Amino acid sequence: MDPPADEFPAVQPGGSLLLAWQVRNRRVLVVGGGNVAAGRILNLLNADALITVVTPAAGLVPEVAHRISQNLITHIDRNFLPTDLEDPAIAMVLTAVDDPLASSTIYTLCKQKRIPVNVADVPPECDFYFGSVHRDGPLQIMVSTNGNGPKLANIVRRQIAATLPANLGEAVVKVGALRKRLRGIAPAPAEGPKRMDWMTRVCEGWSLEELCDMNEEDMEALLKGYGDGVVISYKELRGEQDAIAEGFDGSFGWV
């Protein structure tokens, strides 16, 4: 017997698969040196990619020229050549030039070599899209319109960012540190479900302000309860620490 139609999430075709693509220390080729290329390059630098820009020096905007002068990117001072794609280390190609024919040629060559490519402002010739990103430390929130409205994505992103707590990025940093310590004391793959459940309870039981205020002593005290599957609250933890500091043997329950 088939389950009710509303028992599972409804399929919504036509979207993109949103991923956090790790390009740290991977080679990325950017064709073009204008304002669009400058934005792409900044995104790549923030992701610690190794960037090569191919474009005549005359076409460089000040921002791209600055990145080159700081030795943050490699610059090849000429127009694109098919041989630029022969490097097997290239992880992706981005084109941002005002030449539709050249862009389409690069797209075709990349498809032949199975290199992911993004042709700026030409959605049909993109294996992936750039969205509008809000960044707060390790926290990244992207809004994508699947190439339909980049400006609208920027507006939506700003509205979302305006509703977020100012300390959200710091809370993420603290949670990441706690999670790393937890893996250190319970590294076995079989512990995965228990680790996930325990971290979920910490994130749901502690407020963002409390997570931001969490220090190394708090983390050590929290982790002592992991073996028994318990999560001590912030108030109980700080009360216990205060009692110990004053020379008392506090008695507190676990939640």
Side-chain angles (χ1 to χ4, degrees), residues 102-221:
S103 295
S104 293
T105 298
I106 296 171
Y107 171 78
T108 300
L109 291 171
C110 287
K111 298 306 290 182
Q112 291 173 353
K113 292 181 174 293
R114 297 185 178 181
I115 302 174
V117 59
N118 173 282
V119 178
D121 205 30
V122 187
E125 296 186 346
C126 292
D127 291 316
F128 55 92
Y129 303 117
F130 282 84
S132 183
V133 177
H134 169 71
R135 178 77 183 272
D136 184 356
L139 176 67
Q140 293 177 269
I141 301 174
M142 187 183 86
V143 177
S144 173
T145 60
N146 282 339
N148 289 291
K151 183 60 179 179
L152 182 58
N154 188 43
I155 293 172
V156 174
R157 186 263 304 166
R158 290 202 306 267
Q159 291 182 353
I160 293 175
T163 67
L164 299 175
N167 57 357
L168 191 54
E170 181 65 18
V172 174
V173 171
K174 296 295 180 67
V175 168
L178 179 63
R179 184 168 177 261
K180 183 177 180 180
R181 290 188 179 214
L182 177 58
R183 282 187 172 274
I185 66 173
E191 290 284 317
K194 182 179 178 180
R195 288 196 307 263
M196 184 179 298
D197 174 73
W198 191 83
M199 284 300 308
T200 296
R201 292 164 57 203
V202 171
C203 293
E204 292 178 345
W206 286 48
S207 69
L208 290 175
E209 290 74 17
E210 291 168 349
L211 289 171
C212 286
D213 193 44
M214 181 169 55
N215 56 36
E216 293 188 2
E217 290 75 18
D218 296 331
M219 293 182 193
E220 290 299 326

Side-chain angles (χ1 to χ4, degrees), residues 12-86:
Q12 300 182 53
S16 295
L17 182 62
L18 299 184
L19 302 171
W21 194 344
Q22 297 293 335
V23 293
R24 179 189 299 272
N25 295 326
R26 302 191 68 186
R27 180 66 57 190
V28 178
L29 180 67
V30 178
V31 182
N35 289 321
V36 174
R40 301 287 197 256
I41 290 169
L42 178 58
N43 287 332
L44 292 168
L45 288 173
N46 288 338
D48 301 317
L50 303 177
I51 309 164
T52 298
V53 175
V54 178
T55 193
L60 296 173
V61 297
E63 181 176 344
V64 178
H66 171 71
R67 308 295 184 198
I68 295 170
S69 69
Q70 296 296 305
N71 295 320
L72 296 176
I73 57 180
T74 299
H75 177 221
I76 300 177
D77 184 9
R78 58 166 170 74
N79 289 319
F80 170 85
L81 295 175
T83 53
D84 292 326
L85 299 179
E86 291 181 356

Side-chain angles (χ1 to χ4, degrees), residues 236-252:
E236 288 178 314
L237 182 60
R238 286 306 173 90
E240 180 176 291
Q241 291 178 350
D242 290 344
I244 293 175
E246 295 174 6
F248 295 104
D249 181 15
S251 177
F252 297 90

